[in-house]
């Protein structure tokens, strides 16, 4: 009987098969198992495809993470390089600014010394030169600096060289107003 039930399991399940209730139930179980096996196969294949797709996505994401980490490392290195260059340039600028201040002080000191040496007559020149020759030289200096160079030595009505009133200002005034002579001192531009 059991052999007939198994053979009958291939046939469609109906209540009248072999007239025995036990065979029908066995066939129904076999058919149910076959359907379950097919469904299991379908689910297994679908699970395989999903697992393959997930593995591919995870691999792509891992590659993207590696690429982004490498890019981040390069960007950090570039930032460190630029920050270092900026720090060096800032230090260089500070040193140059200090050097500029020092050079400006030296320049002012040298101008003062040069002006004092240039405009200070030696004892021999002061005794030997007549006053008229000195006045004529002063007038040439004033004409060159003030007339020819747009009042280079003049600060308002005073001579920057001597600190006294400019002789050209005296010449511009009416003859009744006669003032001091134009001399020499160091007050450079």
């Amino acid at each position: 009987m059991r052999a007939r039930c198994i053979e009958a399991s291939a046939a469609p399940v109906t209540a009248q098969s072999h007239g025995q209730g036990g065979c029908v139930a066995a066939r129904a179980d076999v058919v149910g198992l076959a359907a379950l096996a097919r469904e299991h196969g379908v689910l297994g294949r679908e699970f395989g495809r999903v697992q393959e797709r997930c593995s591919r996505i995870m691999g792509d994401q891992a590659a993207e993470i590696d690429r982004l980490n490498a890019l981040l490392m390069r960007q950090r290195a570039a930032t460190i390089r630029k920050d270092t260059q900026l720090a060096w340039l800032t230090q260089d600028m500070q040193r140059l600014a200090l050097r500029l201040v020092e050079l400006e002080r030296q320049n002012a000191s040298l101008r003062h010394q040069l002006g004092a040496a240039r405009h200070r007559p030696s004892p021999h020149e002061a005794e030997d030169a007549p006053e008229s020759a000195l006045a004529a030289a002063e007038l040439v200096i004033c004409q060159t600096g003030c007339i020819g160079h747009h009042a280079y030595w003049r600060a308002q009505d005073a001579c920057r060289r001597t600190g006294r009133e400019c002789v050209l200002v005296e010449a511009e005034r009416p003859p009744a107003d006669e003032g001091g002579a134009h001399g020499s001192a160091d007050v450079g531009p």
Side-chain angles (χ1 to χ4, degrees):
M1 178 167 153
R2 186 155 174 92
R4 283 193 311 144
C5 285
I6 293 175
E7 289 172 10
S9 65
V13 177
T14 60
Q16 290 98 14
S17 296
H18 298 289
Q20 301 161 349
C23 257
V24 174
R27 256 191 352 205
D29 286 343
V30 170
V31 171
L33 286 175
L36 186 61
R38 281 191 306 275
E39 184 178 348
H40 180 66
V42 169
L43 287 175
R45 286 187 297 276
E46 187 63 29
F47 179 72
R49 283 192 292 269
V50 168
Q51 193 173 27
E52 181 182 306
R53 191 175 84 230
C54 287
S55 296
R56 189 174 0 102
I57 290 171
M58 287 177 60
D60 292 347
Q61 287 178 344
E64 181 70 8
I65 289 170
D66 289 344
R67 186 186 69 77
L68 291 174
N69 280 335
L71 177 65
L72 178 63
M73 184 63 72
R74 286 191 302 271
Q75 292 298 325
R76 284 180 178 166
T79 301
I80 290 170
R81 185 180 64 241
K82 286 180 182 179
D83 287 348
T84 303
Q85 288 174 341
L86 181 62
W88 287 345
L89 289 174
T90 302
Q91 288 176 352
D92 289 346
M93 286 180 61
Q94 289 171 348
R95 276 183 276 186
L96 288 174
L98 291 174
R99 182 69 177 140
L100 179 64
V101 169
E102 181 183 328
L103 288 174
E104 286 174 347
R105 283 187 200 137
Q106 288 177 357
N107 189 14
S109 174
L110 289 173
R111 280 186 181 184
H112 179 70
Q113 291 172 5
L114 180 63
R118 185 184 291 166
H119 300 298
R120 189 177 18 208
S122 70
H124 298 99
E125 292 173 347
E127 293 173 7
D128 297 341
E131 287 296 318
S132 62
L134 287 175
E138 290 292 328
L139 184 60
V140 169
I141 291 171
C142 286
Q143 287 173 341
T144 303
C146 291
I147 296 173
H149 293 98
H150 305 289
Y152 179 76
W153 292 112
R154 190 187 299 181
Q156 295 175 345
D157 287 342
C159 178
R160 281 195 244 171
R161 291 179 50 239
T162 63
R164 295 182 280 179
E165 188 174 20
C166 181
V167 283
L168 296 177
V169 172
E170 293 172 3
E172 293 172 359
R173 288 192 184 146
D177 184 22
E178 295 181 22
H182 194 277
S184 63
D186 177 42
V187 182

